[in-house]
Each structure stands twice: as C-alpha cells, then as structure tokens.
C-alpha cells in the first residue's frame, strides 16, 4: 500500500533531486569535469574551486542515493519515468547497491586527487600524482548526466537491421585483412625485396645478411598492415616494384573506399534517426507558446509575434536600468519568446527554415495523439493557440474535438502534478495559469466551443487554465463592413492590429493566466466615468515620454468572473479632484459648457453615468506603443495616492469645429459570394443603414441553401439566448428568398421591404453585372460592391477577374474585395494606388486572421473591444475633418490640447493625419498624408494645424 503522507525533509530532498536533474546543472557540471581534466598549467590553480563544486555535488548525490531519491533525479535504469510505486518503494533511508557504492568510492578518490596540489604535495615527482587518474572516473558521470542522448545513440546504432549490417561489414573487413595477410605471408618475398610493413623505417638486410627488422616478417604485422590498407588509402604502396604487395594493397584500398562510403551512409542514416528521435522527445521548454495547426496565416502570425517580442526591448543605452526593464518586459530575461509549432507533416514547413524563424521548434503530432501532451510540454506551456484546421471537412468540429482533448489532458496533468507534490510532501505549487486560445470560424459554434472548455470543470473554470474563444470570421466580417462604411479607416486598423506602431491594450489588474497580477488595494469605484477621469489625469502626469491614451474601462458584469463589460469612451468625470486646478475648471468658462455651472451639476451628471456603468473595475483599455507603458499606468494606481496626482492643467485651445468626414452610402449593396461570417457583415451593414437593400449573389443552388441555413442558425441561437452581443433576428420570406432584419431594441417596428435578397448568378460575367437580378439594374448604380472570398480552388482568380470587369464597367461604387493570397492582395492594392483611386480595397483574409490571432495572444479579450469599435453601434472609430465653412486652422497645439478640445463633444483622440506638403493649400483626398496614432507626428510635441488634414477619434457612431 502506498503511503502518500509527507515525511521530514521530503521537500528539501525532492527539490535537490529536481535541481540536479536540470539541464543547466548538468551543463555546468559537465563543463567543470572537462576543464578539470585539461593538461594545462593553469588548470591546477582552480583545484580549490573544483574541489568545492564537486564536493557539494558529491555530498548532495550521496544524500539522494542513501535517501533513495536519485531515481527521481536521473530516472530509472530502464530510461523510463519512475512510477509512484517505484518512487515510494525507493523512498526513505536505505543502503545502496554494491555497484553504486563502488562508483561512489571512485568519485571520492577523484575528489581526493585535488587535495595534494592544495597542500603543496603535488610537485611533479610526488607519489600522489597517481590519484589524478581517478579523475577519469568523472568521465563516466558525463554519460550519466546525458543518459537520454547516450541511450538514443546506443539504441539507433544497435537496432536489429543496422546491427546486422555493422556486424557483417566488420566480419568482411576482418576476413579481407586476414586474406591479405595470408597472401603476403605465403608469397614470402625475397630478402632483398623486404618491405617496411610496420612503418618504422627499418627494412632490408644488414652487412651480415640478416633482416634489419625481423618484425616485418611476422604474420601479425602483415595482418595489421592489411587492415591499415583498408582503413586509409594513404597507406597504399608507394613503389610498384613488389608486384604481390602492390596487388594486395590496391585490392584492399579499393575495398576500403567502398567501406568509407558505407560508413558515411550509415552515419548519415544514424544522424537522421537521431534527429527524428529528438522530435519525439519533449522540447524541454517552460513558459512557451504552442501554436497548433499550420495554415496560410501561421507564417504571418509568427512574424507578428516575433516582431512584437522585439518591441519589448527598452529604449536608450545599455545600463542596469535597461536590463531591469528588459527582464520586466519579457518575464524571461534575455531568452526571449519561445514558440513551438505543431503540424501533421513529417517535415517542418518551408517558412520555418527562414533565418528569422529558425529558432522556432516544430513537432509532428496530432492533438488526438496520446503523446501530444508530452511531446509539446503542454503542461509547462504559458499559452496554447489552437488555429482552425482549414484542411478538415468541418474545421469548427475539429477545433471543438481538440478543445475537449486538450482541456482533459491539461486537467489530468494538473491532477498528476498535485499527486506528485503530495507524494513528495510538497505543498501545491502556485503557478501562473496558462491561457488556451481557440479560433472558431462560425460564430454559431462559439457556445459549443465554450461548453467544450468548461464542460467538466476544467478549462476556464480551472485555476490553471483560462480560455478565450476567438470568432475570427465574425471579426473579419466586421472589419470588411467597417472598411466599407468608413473610407480611410483601414490605415488606422492596420496599425492597431499589427505589431507595427501602436496597439490597443487591455490591462486587467488581477486576471488568472496573465503576467500582470496586482489587485488594487483601494478600488476605483463603480462609475466608469470616474475611473476614466482618473486614468486620464494619471496618464498625462506620468514621467515617461511615451504617450498613453486611455480609451475605455473594463467592468465586471453580473454573469460571474468571466463576464466582462467593456465601456469604450465613457464620459470622464473629474469631480473627485479639486476643481480649482482641474480640467473642468479650465473649460467651465467655454461656451460649450455653459450648462456646467458648479460642482453639484458635475456630481449630478456622474450619478447618471454611474447607473449606466456599474460594477467592479477590472482594468482599462488604452492605446500605447508597447505594453510597458500601459503597465506603467497600472503601477501608478498602486504607487501614487489619488491626492498626489496633479490635476490636468492642459487647456483647450480656441479651435474651430470639426465635422464628420463623408461615409459611404449603403442604400444599395451587392455582395458576391458567401461565408459563415457574411451573416455578421450583413447585420452590421443593416445596423448602419436601416433602409439598405442588399443583394447576395451566389454561384449555385447549393450555395443558396447553405447561406439560408446560416441565417436560420443565427436566428435560432439568438432565440435561445446563446448568441450574446448586438444581434437581431432575421424574418424569413421563403417565397421571395428574402430576409428582413429585426431590430432587437424594437422588433415590432414595421419594415417597408426586405433587407436581404439571395439570388443565383455569375458575378464575373459582364452581362450579369450590367443587368443584376430583381431589378437592381447596372452595377454602377450600387453604392458598394463586396467580393467575398472562399476556400475553393480558383476563388482568387475569379475575384481578380471580377475586379478587372468592374474597372472597365464603372467607376462609381466603393469596392471591397477579399482574397486568400497575401501577395495578390498587395499587388491589387498597389494597382489601385497607382491609378489614383481610393475606392478599391483588397484584403487577404488569411492575413486578417493572422492579425486577429496575434491580437488574441498579446491582448486578452481584445475581441470585446474591437467588436464595438468596428461595429456600427456604441462607440466606433470616426473620422473628423476641420469644418470647411469655418476659418482655416493656423498655429500649433499639443496632442493633449487637441484631445481636450475634442473631448468637449465626448470624443477620444486616437490619431492625426498630416499632409506632407508644407505649402499652404486646400487639403483634399489627393494630398499625400501620413497617419500618426497617439503622436503629434512632427518629431516634437506640437501639431502644425495648417498640415492637419483630419483626425481619428472614438465617438458614438
């Protein structure tokens, strides 16, 4: 019976066993062993250091051996991880085996070999020098330290088929050597023809007629000479006078060349199998990120992750503070980020051979394989990113199955770790919870994915695993709808979604699975407006030169720990600070705030806001260049009391009004193609324009039926309460194959005509585009044309053909196209820029998937933020431009001053767009501009208002 009760000292011995078993410890000891054996004069100077190091290691190992816990440090003799029964059986003080005692005696003599030189007895002639031979016994420890590698080589070389080949070749070599020696010995060359068979330079006869070197006539010497002829072609006879010896030498040398070729092939085969065996072993990583499944977006995802890791390098010169910030940023010091990619192909994909990605580890294993947990070190991973398997017949079904397997495996691994700690008498270790990020294509499958994660109490309900489900198709759909509605927003989204420039970061104060765990000792209140005002004051008073722009607050909902409510751009409330120096006092005299007369009015407005945003503050959302700046703002909430934060003294300049830039009219929209996420895109277009008419053209009846099923599944999920967010049901008209979207805020509101029509047609045909079905007429009369990509072969070619047809048929509608290939998307965008047209926008859906999955890794719960910012409800990205009817803007102002001016209308400034032409002129769409997010853009802190073309803000849509 196994007694798992802890015993005295078990914690210490278990820790020592694990410490000696670490790769770092074995490397240090191996290097010290090798250096101590070097025959250099300077080596004895370090005998005291070697004696101390080896004495500590020897003492610890002796304790483990007599304690019976060396099995835990080095594994059993069979090379198999010991079971709990084996560990328990070998626990406690015990007498080791005779062989172990003999080896320990040799190790003790090896330690004593360092003593003579330390006491002055080792002078070169002392009889104690023989003790140095016992240092060679430590070479045996090298085999013990690297037992897995030695075991691999031994098993590969002695594999049955290969062992037979090696044995046969050895027998052939011995046979030929023997035959050659017999031939030489039987021919009995004349005395004057004696050959120097032993290579000592002595041969022939002396003055007495006797052989100078009688050894040249011995059979053993002839046998060794024949063996040398096989091994080294350089030993071939140099003189052709001795015909018999030359024939034997040539024959043996030619065979030796074949032998070398055989050995080279054998060695290559052994190395190849060793490499394959190394891929079957755990990579030995800790705190790494695992990316499961390889698809066209994986390369871009890895590129973004590595480039983001380089952004964590601090700015400035190398110093102690620089290193401290580097370690603080990465939590892994100079090791950098570590990634492991899991695929199904035997060889890694070609892009992993690129120099930038060469350090990424690849493992061939399926998630369902029982070795997946071990071969990827999942239990020690910090993140597991599960990409959708696009090669599967049903990618979401494969993802849900993988989620079930991974969560169950992780639960078993955590239980095993707890049992092991209990067995060794250790308390349960408090470790950072790992993150599980899963990509789901169809939004209707998100509830099933969440159920797979939390079905048995593991997954997101586990203290060791926190899961996030990323509906990538919905995010792509909202992205396309946002691009369609707002010209120019693509530049802003591209910077925020990629590792280049600034990003939108979410900062959670105390969320399991994240590196930052610092709960607030004093709460920020339950009013999102007050929290926003506090964040703005602190952000503008930070010592860092890098700007942090708070844009939202994360509050706790009523649905439990995982219910997070995002309040984007809540009206900031500064009433909790002294109004004598605060922003409210500075702007209270402006005409826009004549209704704010005293503090009571401000407090009354705060009460109204508090009703809309109640709950505990979990964190905030901010725009910054890297996460270190956001963490600096979070740390400031702990380090500085509210009374110590100075009031924001930034004023608001007397600037002219800003008006919304023109947006795309969406009264008539043509959608060509369909994917599961198209339902969300259509819904977003209808919400932005309730009177829109959308014509969805599909290639055949099967595609129409599939689209019809997607709309029906969307409606049923809403009716059952499984689809959260801003969604509405679709009312079906089967006779007309039309759908009407019902506003959830007013579902009984009458609608004159359906919003969506489904038809069959070929959108790459000019005749079809000039005579659209259902009386929609010429494509030139449409406000927007959306080309939806698919995973079918030839989809990109069809999209390219359609774009060329539209280019010749019309210049009117705004066109947004999806393709698969990244390079094709770039070429088509470049073509549009060269033609001076900004109405055609082409994006690769694989690249967009990579961007969103990158955000899911570095920004927890990012989809909650971007869903609102890209959607037509709530707060969105809005482009503003100076009112052309007002006076032209002149002079300069700071970014904060411009932000204060825009905040008077409840707008958060995100970026400014500046014209490159400094000469005075009227700005237009033809201006060559640059976008600067959270930056003034001029290298200083001031904005030249004459070059200001427009600004991007977060405001109500």
């Amino acid at each position: 019976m196994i007694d798992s009760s802890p015993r005295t000292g078990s914690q210490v011995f278990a820790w020592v066993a694990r410490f000696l078993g670490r790769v770092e410890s074995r490397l240090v000891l191996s290097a010290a062993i090798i250096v101590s054996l070097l025959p250099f004069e300077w080596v004895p100077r370090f005998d005291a250091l070697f004696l101390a190091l080896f004495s500590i290691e020897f003492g610890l190992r002796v304790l483990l051996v007599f304690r019976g816990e060396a099995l835990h440090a080095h594994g059993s003799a069979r090379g198999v991880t010991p079971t709990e029964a084996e560990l328990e059986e070998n626990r406690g003080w015990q007498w080791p085996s005779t062989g172990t005692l003999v080896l320990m005696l040799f190790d003790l003599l090896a330690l004593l070999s360092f003593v003579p030189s330390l006491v002055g007895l080792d002078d070169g002639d002392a009889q104690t020098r023989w003790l140095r031979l016992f240092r060679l016994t430590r070479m045996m420890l090298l085999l013990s330290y690297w037992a897995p590698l030695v075991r691999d080589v031994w098993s590969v070389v002695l594999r049955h088929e290969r062992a037979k080949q090696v044995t046969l070749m050895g027998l052939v070599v011995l046979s030929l050597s023997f035959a050659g020696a017999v031939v030489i010995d039987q021919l009995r060359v004349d005395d004057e023809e004696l050959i120097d068979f032993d290579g000592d330079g002595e041969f022939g006869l002396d003055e007495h007629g006797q052989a100078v070197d009688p050894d040249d006539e011995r059979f053993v010497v002839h046998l060794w000479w024949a063996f040398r002829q096989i091994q080294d072609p350089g030993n071939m006879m140099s003189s052709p006078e001795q015909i018999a010896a030359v024939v034997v030498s040539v024959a043996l040398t030619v065979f030796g060349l074949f032998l070398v070729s055989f050995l080279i092939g054998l060695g290559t085969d052994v190395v190849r199998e060793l490499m394959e065996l190394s891929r079957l072993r755990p990579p030995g990583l800790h705190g790494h990120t695992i990316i499961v499944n390889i698809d066209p977006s994986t390369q871009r995802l890895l590129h973004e992750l590595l480039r983001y890791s380089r952004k964590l390098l601090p700015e400035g010169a190398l110093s102690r503070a620089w290193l401290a910030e580097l370690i603080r940023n990465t939590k892994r010091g100079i090791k950098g980020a570590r990634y492991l990619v899991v695929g199904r192909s035997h060889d890694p994909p070609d892009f992993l051979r690129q120099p930038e990605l060469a350090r990424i580890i690849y493992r061939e294993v399926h998630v369902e394989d029982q070795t997946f947990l071990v071969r990827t070190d999942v239990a020690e991973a910090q993140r597991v990113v599960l990409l959708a398997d696009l090669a599967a017949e049903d990618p979401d079904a494969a993802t849900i199955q993988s989620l079930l397997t991974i969560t169950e495996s992780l639960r078993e691994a955590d239980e095993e770790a707890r049992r092991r700690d209990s067995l060794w008498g250790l308390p349960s270790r408090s470790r950072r919870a790992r993150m599980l990020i899963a990509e789901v294509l169809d939004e209707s499958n998100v509830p099933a994915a969440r159920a797979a994660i939390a079905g048995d109490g593991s997954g997101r309900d586990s203290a060791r695993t926190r899961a996030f489900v990323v509906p990538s198709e919905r995010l792509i759909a909202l992205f396309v709808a946002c691009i369609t509605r707002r010209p120019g927003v693509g530049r802003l989204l591209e910077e925020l979604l990629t590792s280049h420039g600034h990003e939108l970061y979410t900062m959670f104060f105390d969320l399991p699975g994240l590196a930052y765990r610092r709960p607030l000792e004093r709460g920020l209140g339950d009013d999102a407006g007050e929290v926003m005002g506090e964040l703005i004051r602190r952000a503008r008073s930070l010592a860092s030169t890098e700007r942090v722009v708070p844009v939202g607050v994360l509050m706790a909902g009523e649905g439990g720990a995982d219910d997070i409510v995002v309040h984007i751009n809540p009206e900031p409330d500064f009433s909790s600070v002294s109004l004598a120096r605060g922003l409210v006092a500075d702007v209270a005299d402006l005409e826009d705030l004549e209704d704010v007369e005293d503090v009571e009015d401000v407090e009354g407005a705060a009460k109204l806001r508090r009703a809309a945003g109640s709950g505990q503050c979990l964190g905030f959302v901010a725009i910054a260049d890297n996460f270190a700046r956001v963490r600096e703002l979070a740390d400031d909430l702990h380090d500085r009391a509210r009374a110590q934060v100075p009031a924001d003294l930034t004023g608001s300049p007397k600037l002219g009004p800003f008006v919304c830039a023109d947006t795309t009219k969406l009264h008539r929209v043509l959608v060509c193609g369909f994917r599961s996420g198209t339902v969300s895109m259509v819904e977003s277009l209808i919400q932005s324009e309730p009177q829109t008419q959308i014509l969805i053209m599909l290639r055949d009846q099967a595609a129409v039926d599939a689209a019809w099923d997607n709309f029906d599944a969307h409606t049923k999920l809403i009716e059952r309460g499984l689809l959260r967010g801003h969604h509405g049901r679709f009312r079906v008209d089967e006779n007309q194959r039309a759908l009407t979207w019902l506003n959830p805020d007013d579902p009984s509101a009458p609608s004159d005509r359906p919003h969506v029509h489904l038809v069959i047609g070929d959108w790459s045909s000019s005749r079809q585009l000039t005579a659209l079905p259902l009386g929609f007429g010429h494509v030139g009369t449409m406000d927007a044309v959306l080309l939806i990509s698919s995973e079918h072969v030839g989809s990109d070619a069809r999209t390219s053909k359609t774009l060329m047809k539209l280019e010749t048929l019309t210049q009117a509608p705004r066109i947004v196209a999806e393709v698969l290939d990244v390079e094709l998307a770039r070429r088509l965008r470049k073509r549009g820029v060269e033609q001076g047209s900004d109405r055609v926008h082409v994006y690769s859906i694989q690249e967009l998937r990579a961007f969103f999955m990158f955000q899911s890794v570095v920004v927890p719960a990012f989809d909650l933020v971007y869903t609102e910012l890209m959607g037509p409800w709530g707060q969105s990205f809005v482009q503003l431009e100076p009112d052309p009817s007002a006076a032209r803007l002149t002079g300069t102002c700071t970014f904060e001053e411009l932000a204060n001016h825009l905040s008077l209308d409840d707008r958060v400034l995100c970026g400014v767009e500046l014209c490159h032409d400094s000469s005075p002129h009227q700005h237009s769409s033809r201006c060559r501009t640059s976008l600067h997010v959270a930056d003034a853009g001029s290298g200083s802190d001031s904005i030249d208002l004459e070059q200001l073309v427009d600004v991007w803000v977060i405001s109500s849509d």
Side-chain angles (χ1 to χ4, degrees):
M1 180 177 179
I2 298 177
D3 179 16
S4 60
S5 59
R7 303 178 184 179
T8 305
S10 294
Q11 298 184 21
V12 177
F13 287 115
W15 180 86
V16 171
R18 286 193 297 268
F19 176 77
L20 291 180
R22 291 177 60 89
V23 175
E24 295 83 354
S25 302
R26 289 183 287 173
L27 284 174
V28 172
L29 291 172
S30 300
I33 290 172
I34 295 174
V35 173
S36 67
L37 295 173
L38 294 177
F40 298 131
E41 296 180 356
W42 52 269
V43 174
R45 302 175 188 173
F46 298 93
D47 280 354
L49 177 62
F50 292 141
L51 179 62
L53 177 63
F54 293 141
S55 297
I56 295 174
E57 186 268 340
F58 178 75
L60 294 176
R61 190 153 44 84
V62 168
L63 289 176
L64 292 177
V65 168
F66 281 92
R67 178 71 180 178
E69 303 196 25
L71 185 68
H72 182 78
H74 300 289
S76 65
R78 304 186 306 272
V80 181
T81 302
T83 63
E84 294 183 6
E86 290 177 318
L87 291 173
E88 181 62 25
E89 182 181 357
N90 290 277
R91 286 190 63 196
W93 298 103
Q94 60 184 14
W95 193 257
S97 64
T98 303
T100 304
L101 286 176
V102 172
L103 292 178
M104 290 172 56
L105 177 61
F106 276 98
D107 286 344
L108 180 60
L109 293 176
L111 282 176
L112 296 178
S113 66
F114 292 103
V115 176
S117 63
L118 296 178
V119 298
L121 297 178
D122 192 359
D123 57 358
D125 298 326
Q127 298 181 357
T128 56
R129 290 185 61 85
W130 62 272
L131 286 173
R132 290 196 171 190
L133 294 177
F134 287 97
R135 297 187 189 179
L136 296 177
T137 62
R138 290 200 164 268
M139 296 293 293
M140 300 179 62
L141 285 179
L142 291 177
L143 300 181
S144 175
Y145 292 152
W146 306 104
L149 179 60
V150 175
R151 210 174 286 123
D152 283 349
V153 176
W154 187 258
S155 63
V156 169
V157 173
L158 295 185
R159 188 163 294 168
H160 182 67
E161 295 81 3
R162 188 169 292 108
K164 290 173 59 177
Q165 295 172 357
V166 173
T167 303
L168 177 61
M169 183 56 63
L171 292 175
V172 172
V173 170
L174 292 177
S175 301
L176 289 179
S177 299
F178 179 79
V182 169
V183 171
I184 294 295
D185 192 70
Q186 294 297 325
L187 289 179
R188 294 289 183 178
V189 297
D190 297 334
D191 292 341
E192 64 273 10
E193 298 176 351
L194 286 176
I195 300 173
D196 186 15
F197 287 105
D198 58 3
D200 59 358
E202 297 180 0
F203 63 96
L205 304 175
D206 58 12
E207 63 272 12
H208 302 292
Q210 301 293 327
V212 175
D213 187 4
D215 289 340
D216 287 336
E217 299 179 338
R218 296 174 57 193
F219 177 78
V220 176
V221 174
H222 295 164
L223 181 64
W224 179 245
W225 175 84
F227 181 77
R228 291 173 56 218
Q229 298 299 307
I230 296 176
Q231 305 302 321
D232 186 4
N235 293 324
M236 192 170 62
M237 296 290 297
S238 58
S239 176
E241 297 178 359
Q242 309 300 328
I243 302 301
V246 168
V247 171
V248 173
S249 176
V250 170
L252 295 178
T253 300
V254 171
F255 175 77
L257 294 177
F258 285 104
L259 174 65
V260 171
S261 301
F262 171 79
L263 292 176
I264 292 176
L266 180 65
T268 303
D269 193 34
V270 169
V271 171
R272 179 184 59 81
E273 289 200 26
L274 287 175
M275 294 297 295
E276 292 181 355
L277 282 177
S278 67
R279 294 179 182 176
L280 299 178
R281 292 191 175 276
L285 298 178
H286 179 80
H288 56 293
T289 298
I290 302 175
I291 299 176
V292 183
N293 293 327
I294 296 177
D295 56 36
S297 65
T298 306
Q299 180 178 0
R300 182 68 186 188
L301 171 60
L302 291 171
H303 173 76
E304 294 295 330
L305 290 172
L306 292 177
R307 189 165 66 173
Y308 177 79
S309 299
R310 291 193 293 268
K311 286 184 64 174
L312 296 178
L313 291 175
E315 298 180 353
L318 181 64
S319 62
R320 181 179 299 178
W322 189 92
L323 292 174
E325 186 174 355
L326 173 64
I327 296 175
R328 186 184 183 190
N329 286 351
T330 63
K331 294 297 184 183
R332 290 181 293 270
I334 60 176
K335 290 184 179 179
R338 291 161 290 184
Y339 299 98
L340 186 147
V341 177
V342 176
R344 296 186 181 181
S345 62
H346 177 73
D347 296 322
D350 293 337
F351 63 79
L352 287 183
R353 307 182 192 275
Q354 299 177 4
E356 182 186 14
L357 307 178
R359 296 184 61 184
I360 296 177
I361 301 175
Y362 175 78
R363 286 291 183 269
E364 176 201 0
V365 62
H366 192 270
V367 176
E368 304 301 325
D369 195 328
Q370 59 182 357
T371 63
F372 172 79
L373 188 68
V374 177
R375 291 172 61 181
T376 58
D377 282 333
V378 175
E380 302 298 329
Q382 185 53 58
R383 301 179 189 87
V384 180
V385 182
L386 184 58
L387 301 179
D389 187 2
L390 301 180
E393 182 178 355
D394 188 346
D396 285 350
T399 299
I400 294 173
Q401 181 181 3
S402 299
L403 283 174
L404 287 170
T405 302
I406 293 177
T407 51
E408 179 65 19
S409 300
L410 292 177
R411 184 184 65 83
E412 293 177 354
D414 294 339
E415 292 178 354
E416 177 66 22
R418 287 192 293 268
R419 285 197 301 266
R420 186 168 58 248
D421 291 341
S422 175
L423 178 65
W424 291 98
L426 294 172
S428 297
R429 287 171 285 179
S430 176
R431 296 183 294 179
R432 175 183 169 186
R434 67 179 71 87
M435 292 178 60
L436 176 59
I437 304 170
E439 179 188 14
V440 173
L441 301 182
D442 193 343
E443 188 184 12
S444 63
N445 294 322
V446 171
R450 289 173 176 159
I453 294 170
D456 59 354
S458 60
R460 62 179 181 179
D461 294 334
S462 172
R464 286 285 292 120
T465 304
R466 185 171 188 86
F468 295 95
V469 179
V470 181
S472 59
E473 281 293 325
R474 170 169 167 78
L475 292 171
I476 293 175
L478 292 177
F479 178 91
V480 172
C482 185
I483 294 294
T484 305
R485 292 188 299 118
R486 299 195 181 279
V489 75
R491 299 173 65 181
L492 177 63
L493 288 175
E494 184 176 355
E495 175 163 349
L496 293 177
L497 288 173
T498 62
S499 57
H500 173 74
H502 291 67
E503 290 88 27
L504 264 171
Y505 291 97
T506 56
M507 164 57 73
F508 289 91
F509 299 132
D510 187 19
L511 187 67
L514 304 185
Y516 190 92
R517 297 291 302 276
R518 196 175 180 186
L520 292 176
E521 297 179 358
R522 53 184 183 276
L524 293 177
D526 57 0
D527 180 10
E530 290 184 1
V531 176
M532 190 69 176
E534 177 86 0
L535 292 172
I536 292 175
R537 287 196 305 127
R538 290 180 179 271
R540 294 183 178 180
S541 64
L542 292 177
S544 175
T545 57
E546 298 293 335
R547 184 175 286 108
V548 181
V549 181
V551 299
V553 179
L554 302 171
M555 307 293 288
E558 300 177 355
D562 291 334
D563 189 6
I564 302 171
V565 180
V566 180
H567 295 274
I568 301 296
N569 187 23
E571 183 181 351
D573 181 9
F574 299 94
S575 60
S576 59
V577 300
S578 173
L579 297 182
R581 296 181 301 165
L583 174 63
V584 175
D586 291 336
V587 300
D589 295 333
L590 297 178
E591 295 180 357
D592 302 77
L593 293 183
E594 289 182 351
D595 54 334
V596 182
E597 298 179 355
D598 51 25
V599 179
E600 294 181 358
D601 291 333
V602 179
E603 293 178 347
K607 292 180 180 179
L608 295 176
R609 286 189 298 269
R610 189 176 295 114
S614 61
Q616 179 187 3
C617 180
L618 303 178
F620 60 89
V621 185
I623 298 177
D625 181 55
N626 57 61
F627 186 72
R629 306 284 78 81
V630 180
R631 186 181 55 216
E632 183 180 355
L633 175 58
D635 288 339
D636 188 71
L637 294 170
H638 295 269
D639 301 337
R640 285 196 299 175
R642 181 174 299 181
Q644 297 176 347
V645 180
D648 183 21
L649 300 180
T650 305
S652 177
K654 297 288 186 178
L655 300 179
F658 284 79
V659 296
C660 292
D662 293 335
T663 58
T664 305
K665 296 180 180 180
L666 298 175
H667 297 293
R668 292 161 54 85
V669 179
L670 172 63
V671 178
C672 303
F674 193 91
R675 291 201 318 275
S676 60
T678 307
V679 177
S680 297
M681 183 195 70
V682 169
E683 188 177 33
S684 178
L685 294 176
I686 298 175
Q687 287 176 305
S688 60
E689 178 51 67
Q691 301 301 320
T692 186
Q693 292 288 294
I694 300 176
L695 179 66
I696 300 180
M697 187 177 296
L698 303 168
R699 62 181 182 275
D700 51 33
Q701 185 60 43
V704 172
D705 294 338
W708 194 265
D709 291 341
N710 275 274
F711 281 107
D712 182 64
H714 175 88
T715 299
K716 290 181 178 178
L717 286 174
I718 295 175
E719 293 174 347
R720 296 170 183 173
L722 297 177
L723 202 57
R724 296 175 294 180
H726 298 269
H727 295 286
R729 296 181 295 110
F730 284 92
R731 188 175 60 206
V732 177
D733 186 348
E734 297 186 4
N735 296 328
Q736 300 183 14
R737 282 289 179 174
L739 302 108
T740 303
W741 185 76
L742 304 179
N743 191 339
D745 298 330
D746 188 10
S748 61
S751 179
D752 297 338
R753 47 189 176 177
H755 294 107
V756 182
H757 301 269
L758 280 70
V759 297
I760 299 175
D762 180 12
W763 55 86
S764 63
S765 169
S766 299
R767 182 165 49 182
Q768 183 77 83
L769 292 174
T770 55
L772 296 174
L774 302 181
F776 274 81
H778 195 281
V779 67
T781 63
M782 308 299 289
D783 296 319
V785 177
L786 308 181
L787 304 180
I788 307 302
S789 179
S790 67
E791 305 295 339
H792 297 286
V793 178
S795 174
D796 285 358
R798 189 173 189 177
T799 300
S800 301
K801 176 183 176 182
T802 304
L803 286 174
M804 298 303 102
K805 291 288 184 69
L806 291 173
E807 184 178 309
T808 58
L809 291 175
T810 178
Q811 299 294 321
R814 180 173 177 81
I815 303 173
V816 179
E818 297 177 348
V819 295
L820 295 176
D821 187 63
V822 177
E823 292 302 322
L824 175 61
R826 292 175 180 172
R827 288 193 294 268
L828 292 175
R829 284 201 300 266
K830 183 179 179 181
R831 175 185 174 88
V833 172
E834 292 175 350
Q835 292 180 348
S837 173
D838 60 347
R839 69 183 186 90
V840 179
H841 296 269
V842 185
Y843 294 94
S844 166
I845 60 174
Q846 301 298 350
E847 189 174 45
L848 292 178
R849 288 181 60 223
F851 291 161
F852 289 125
M853 294 309 297
F854 160 70
Q855 288 291 318
S856 70
V857 175
V858 300
V859 183
F862 87 101
D863 55 310
L864 299 179
V865 179
Y866 278 96
T867 297
E868 179 169 350
L869 290 177
M870 294 189 300
W873 59 85
Q875 301 289 319
S876 306
F877 292 118
V878 178
Q879 185 180 23
L880 303 178
E881 58 186 18
D883 190 348
S885 61
R888 181 181 178 84
L889 295 178
T890 58
T892 61
C893 71
T894 65
F895 188 91
E896 282 72 21
E897 290 174 341
L898 180 58
N900 283 348
H901 175 77
L902 295 171
S903 67
L904 300 179
D905 295 322
D906 296 333
R907 295 163 174 170
V908 176
L909 178 62
C910 298
V912 295
E913 198 164 353
L914 303 177
C915 181
H916 292 175
D917 189 358
S918 58
S919 60
H921 66 284
Q922 186 68 31
H923 298 300
S924 65
S925 59
R926 297 183 179 181
C927 290
R928 198 163 53 93
T929 62
S930 58
L931 177 65
H932 304 275
V933 178
D935 186 34
S938 58
S940 62
D941 198 36
S942 60
I943 301 174
D944 187 352
L945 295 178
E946 293 185 358
Q947 295 181 265
L948 182 64
V949 179
D950 52 52
V951 298
W952 283 96
V953 300
I954 296 178
S955 179
S956 58
D957 199 320

